[in-house]
Amino acid sequence: MTALATDPAPASVAALRAALPGVVLDDSPTALAAHRTDRSAMPGDPNPLVVARPASTEQVSQLLAYANAHRIPVVPQGTRTGVAGAASAVDGAILLDLTAMDRIVGIDADDMIAVAQPGVIVSDLAAAAASRGLFYAPDPASAQISTLGGNVATNAGGMRCIKYGVTRESVRSLEVVLADGTILRTRPNTIKTVGGLDLTGLIVGSEGTLAVITEITVKLLPAPGPERGVLGLFPSVAQGLAATNRIASGSRTPARLEFMDGRCLEAIRKHIPDAPVPAEANAWALAVTDARDGAEEDLTSFEEIFTDAGATTVQRATSAEELEAILEARRQLQPSARGLLGGSVEGDIAVPRSALAAFSAGVAEVENAYDVTIALGGHVGDGNLHPIVAYTPAEGARARADEAVMTLSRLAQELGGTMSGEHGVGLEKLPALDTEMAPAALDLQRRIKALFDPNGILNPGKKY
Amino acid sequence: MTALATDPAPASVAALRAALPGVVLDDSPTALAAHRTDRSAMPGDPNPLVVARPASTEQVSQLLAYANAHRIPVVPQGTRTGVAGAASAVDGAILLDLTAMDRIVGIDADDMIAVAQPGVIVSDLAAAAASRGLFYAPDPASAQISTLGGNVATNAGGMRCIKYGVTRESVRSLEVVLADGTILRTRPNTIKTVGGLDLTGLIVGSEGTLAVITEITVKLLPAPGPERGVLGLFPSVAQGLAATNRIASGSRTPARLEFMDGRCLEAIRKHIPDAPVPAEANAWALAVTDARDGAEEDLTSFEEIFTDAGATTVQRATSAEELEAILEARRQLQPSARGLLGGSVEGDIAVPRSALAAFSAGVAEVENAYDVTIALGGHVGDGNLHPIVAYTPAEGARARADEAVMTLSRLAQELGGTMSGEHGVGLEKLPALDTEMAPAALDLQRRIKALFDPNGILNPGKKY
């Protein structure tokens, strides 16, 4: 080990340039400002050191070896579409922008895998798979703008998890760079292996705190059938949730199962006057099938369940355009919700599906306690809701809304659930960790972090 | 901490009895002999201390706390049906027999989960789920005799992985006891959570080296349709594998996709004269569907692919009895193989499916080099073969067979594969670790082991 490696000197961009001649380094105020945060409400620290854009795994390795020797924090970033602050800047950090590593390395139709760099946009990977008659299943709402590396680092969810699982379940293996610059492949690309511990699953969802992901092998599936859906409108939230629960636990698993309450519908209508959402309903549910066989039977079953549960309107969306318009309106819920009262904060709770009704019943009390308005929508097939807490411009209203989100998180935890179904911990959910898991579980996780990253350079201050 | 906890005294059964009055302890020669090994060729150490049969998580916790303080090794055991030596005895160890913790705690049809203790027999869990119209997907060949805890500890595979994944993919959460006696729940029972690192997936497949599993929550699926299959016989191994690969990468994913070569068929016929396997064929393939919709189309597609690939016989098995008889013959491959030449050793390689042909082509050379006969059969839908290396009673033949298995493992590794697709490392595969993974990956795993179990009491000498 050289003196350089053992005697950290103050970090400087000039020293970085000298040590890493091949890596694009940008410390312009514009670049630093642009990379300071993600789409969360976390502003990010004001003084990161530099934005680095490596072009290869080797460059990532050189950069981490240097950063580790000099104790320079490193924050991995993709397109920064996360909503929990996991990619937010840290003072003095190298913001490791992986978007230049954006190559789809290959698609193997025989082994049904795709190999891609972390900067690939998720919908581009899905399109490349589709062009070979195959299917990349994960479909987070951000698929058109988020990177595969970011999806893997946060174990992204989305609308299709009820049938296909979360991102972790599509990741076959990873090439990663450890904090000290070591390049590692987590496992062979076989379907099965029991040769070692599951390092792959451990790194998926670790939000850039254990290693930097430089190549991802994902499993692909046979292309499903075309998507068709049934929309149901209900007089009450309870009836809507009863209907979706019956579908979710029934014999015909849908590809998507979404829910919105009347306030969500109101917010979308206000934001997008011609959105295909109804004028009056207290609950909206959408069940979609993509079955190659039995799609007609699926739709009939969804219709029957909606009707039995008391739907006032049951309507099919069978053309791709019609269904896409409905899905797009659903995707516009978050941007729309901001306009409800002036501002909004979004939660991301998940509970066992059987506890969704109890959760929704607890919301009114939270509204009263914090003087906020809460709209409930989300991926109910997974028991995953994104409560939108809307607040007025009144003084102190924002702080009350943040407290309301925390209270909703605790309510979910009390119901056997979690404060984050898919968005991640990042910075935003750190205050909810202590009530989320036992001290021993949190301690183990922090020790695993320290084992992977003894100098604490990888995304410090996040996740734990 | 007491003096007892910090000053380890020599382990004695009397001291254990005094410290753990509630735990059944059995140090009779019969019990110790019966629990000395599993179904592997690993004999197990001759002098374990005692067999302990805890009745509750609390008893496991008390026992581990004591063992940890006194540095007594602990080997978790179920019904010891493993074939890699993971449950084999260690000198001086407490053999922790978990079969008395055999309660199905509950099945929740709304949340589609089952909660069970580790000693539950896998087929009992499956039957309990089926009685509620639900489905526990993993189906290792040992399902009738192996425990759920053992299946989880070894991440068991089996015939249904091509459609439903390995055991890890069915485990929702775990209650475990850490080496120091701490009781821990790995995650909430929600479908999604990104609140922490994936401790669940890390412990699944860790072969009792990280923690003792005391309760398992698994996900259940809607009941599938009845199983129906198509059997194909082929003039060559290459044609049989080409056929199964086309089915595996096609649009109609089977629920099982099995393969045996002519030597497998010969071994079964010799062992079970009336087994429903053909008299003459060089390759046998079975594709099974359990689709609720489109089963007929699946079968037609399998038939067409078999015929196109050059099958000499293509035959449907549509009654449950007929198919079960065929599956049972396939399950009898391992016991049958012992009779081929006198003795046999079984491998467990997995390669990317596209490399199966190259693997099978390399087998003849291994046969010549070690003077053994190799029969190839397995779960080819997962690229997972169990090469059976048969040897004569000649002197040195057994040692040559063991070397042949190692050579086959290396061949699989060179083809991008693994020395163990589903059996685990245990003791048997330890010699293949160095060629399986990079030093950094192995080092990380050993350090994770040390982090969970700093005194090295949990199943020492195994897995790493």
Side-chain angles (χ1 to χ4, degrees), chain B residues 211-453:
Chain B
V212 174
I213 298 164
T214 48
E215 192 180 273
I216 301 132
T217 304
V218 296
K219 76 170 181 188
L220 302 175
L221 298 173
E227 291 199 354
R228 301 162 64 188
V230 175
L231 194 67
L233 302 177
F234 299 86
S236 71
V237 165
Q239 283 165 293
L241 290 176
T244 54
N245 272 358
R246 274 189 56 200
I247 289 176
S249 62
S251 58
R252 295 184 169 277
T253 306
R256 306 177 191 259
L257 187 60
E258 295 291 311
F259 175 88
M260 294 194 284
D261 71 1
R263 284 186 175 135
C264 295
L265 303 176
E266 185 192 330
I268 295 172
R269 270 202 315 278
K270 212 167 149 184
H271 188 62
I272 313 167
D274 62 346
V277 296
E280 290 303 331
N282 290 317
W284 169 106
L286 175 71
V288 173
T289 181
D290 66 358
R292 291 172 61 95
D293 302 300
E296 186 59 34
E297 291 85 344
D298 285 352
L299 295 171
T300 305
S301 164
F302 302 157
E303 286 170 340
E304 284 171 5
I305 291 172
F306 281 172
T307 304
D308 284 357
T312 51
T313 302
V314 175
Q315 177 190 324
R316 281 201 190 190
T318 50
S319 83
E321 295 69 28
E322 194 184 351
L323 183 60
E324 180 50 32
I326 292 171
L327 289 172
E328 188 50 30
R330 161 70 187 86
R331 289 189 199 104
Q332 291 303 316
L333 172 58
Q334 273 73 45
S336 300
R338 286 178 209 129
L340 257 186
L341 293 179
S344 69
V345 204
E346 190 189 336
D348 173 37
I349 67 95
V351 292
R353 274 195 307 254
S354 59
L356 281 169
F359 181 84
S360 78
V363 163
E365 205 175 314
V366 179
E367 286 186 313
N368 292 334
Y370 299 97
D371 191 21
V372 292
T373 296
I374 300 174
L376 277 185
H379 318 305
V380 286
D382 311 316
N384 184 198
L385 287 173
H386 297 303
I388 293 169
V389 178
Y391 55 91
T392 65
E395 198 184 318
R398 168 60 201 254
R400 284 197 301 276
D402 286 336
E403 283 178 54
V405 169
M406 280 297 296
T407 303
L408 291 171
S409 293
R410 276 194 293 275
L411 175 59
Q413 290 166 343
E414 284 160 16
L415 292 167
T418 172
M419 66 1 192
S420 187
E422 56 183 21
H423 290 173
V425 178
L427 291 167
E428 204 167 83
K429 298 298 177 61
L430 285 176
L433 272 187
D434 286 340
T435 44
E436 178 88 8
M437 52 190 98
L442 194 49
D443 177 58
L444 262 183
Q445 293 177 33
R446 287 176 175 150
R447 287 161 63 203
I448 290 171
K449 157 68 175 171
L451 183 158
F452 273 79
D453 179 21

Side-chain angles (χ1 to χ4, degrees), chain A residues 163 224-230 251-255 287-303 316, chain B residues 252 291-298:
Chain A
K163 181 165 177 181
E227 290 197 355
R228 300 161 65 187
V230 175
S251 58
R252 296 184 168 275
T253 306
V288 173
T289 181
D290 67 356
R292 291 171 60 96
D293 302 301
E296 186 60 33
E297 291 85 345
D298 284 352
L299 295 172
T300 305
S301 164
F302 302 158
E303 286 169 340
R316 281 201 190 190
Chain B
R252 295 184 169 277
R292 291 172 61 95
D293 302 300
E296 186 59 34
E297 291 85 344
D298 285 352

Side-chain angles (χ1 to χ4, degrees), chain A residues 40-43 83 343-347 366 370-374 387-392 396-410 419 428-429 431-432:
Chain A
S40 70
M42 301 286 111
V83 290
S344 69
V345 204
E346 190 188 336
V366 179
Y370 298 98
D371 192 21
V372 292
T373 296
I374 299 175
I388 293 169
V389 179
Y391 56 91
T392 65
R398 169 59 201 255
R400 283 197 301 277
D402 286 335
E403 283 176 56
V405 168
M406 281 297 297
T407 304
L408 292 171
S409 294
R410 277 193 294 274
M419 70 349 196
E428 207 168 82
K429 298 296 177 62

Side-chain angles (χ1 to χ4, degrees), chain A residues 313-387:
Chain A
T313 303
V314 175
Q315 176 191 324
R316 281 201 190 190
T318 49
S319 83
E321 295 70 28
E322 195 184 350
L323 183 60
E324 179 50 32
I326 292 170
L327 290 172
E328 187 52 28
R330 162 68 187 86
R331 288 188 200 105
Q332 291 302 315
L333 173 58
Q334 274 72 43
S336 300
R338 286 178 209 127
L340 258 185
L341 292 179
S344 69
V345 204
E346 190 188 336
D348 174 35
I349 66 94
V351 292
R353 275 194 307 253
S354 59
L356 280 170
F359 180 84
S360 77
V363 163
E365 205 175 315
V366 179
E367 287 186 313
N368 292 335
Y370 298 98
D371 192 21
V372 292
T373 296
I374 299 175
L376 277 186
H379 318 304
V380 286
D382 311 315
N384 183 198
L385 287 173
H386 298 302

